[in-house]
Amino acid sequence: TGHSPQVKAFVTQDIPFYHNLEMKHLPGADPELVLLSLRYEELERIPLSDMTREEINQLVQELGFYRKETPDAPVPEEFQFAPAKSLPILPPPQAPTSDGKTPPKHDKEEHPDL
């Protein structure tokens, strides 16, 4: 399987400009953009094989990745954790309510592993 020259150009020429953007390239596999959370949990994989270089650039910018002027340019403070910068900061789960009691858990009703 031949890789799209568009994707290859993006990987070799554009990725160095993006802060926190990494491509994992497995030999023989289609190139995929793997989005990770701040805790390095995989959020989603986006196959790039059918996209043009321009489309990929547009996609990563829509996802919130910061494109630097040059690969060595400093990254502004607010983009240090981009693209995760737009995630709302949620209170920790099971935070005590004002009366000091923790909300009841509904473990049996939830199926997080489905």
Side-chain angles (χ1 to χ4, degrees):
T1 53
H3 288 319
S4 150
Q6 296 274 340
V7 175
K8 191 168 186 213
F10 172 78
V11 172
T12 55
Q13 293 163 52
D14 292 319
I15 280 190
F17 285 91
Y18 285 101
H19 180 59
N20 284 354
L21 182 58
E22 288 179 38
M23 283 277 297
K24 289 198 163 56
H25 189 263
L26 306 171
D30 283 333
E32 283 183 324
L33 181 65
V34 179
L35 299 181
L36 298 176
S37 72
L38 283 178
R39 292 192 296 272
Y40 296 98
E41 295 158 342
E42 200 171 293
L43 300 178
E44 62 177 310
R45 287 173 178 255
I46 303 168
L48 300 179
S49 34
D50 301 328
M51 297 172 70
T52 67
R53 179 179 175 183
E54 209 158 290
E55 286 172 331
I56 302 170
N57 272 291
Q58 200 178 339
L59 171 74
V60 292
Q61 287 176 46
E62 280 171 9
L63 289 170
F65 286 97
Y66 176 71
R67 187 181 168 103
K68 299 178 278 188
E69 297 298 315
T70 66
D72 298 325
V75 176
E77 187 78 29
E78 67 267 27
F79 289 109
Q80 283 295 332
F81 297 108
K85 68 168 175 24
S86 59
L87 295 176
I89 296 172
L90 299 172
Q94 303 298 338
T97 48
S98 51
D99 61 359
K101 292 180 182 158
T102 52
K105 292 182 181 175
H106 299 290
D107 290 342
K108 290 185 182 128
E109 292 161 38
E110 288 178 47
H111 301 284
D113 49 359
L114 284 184

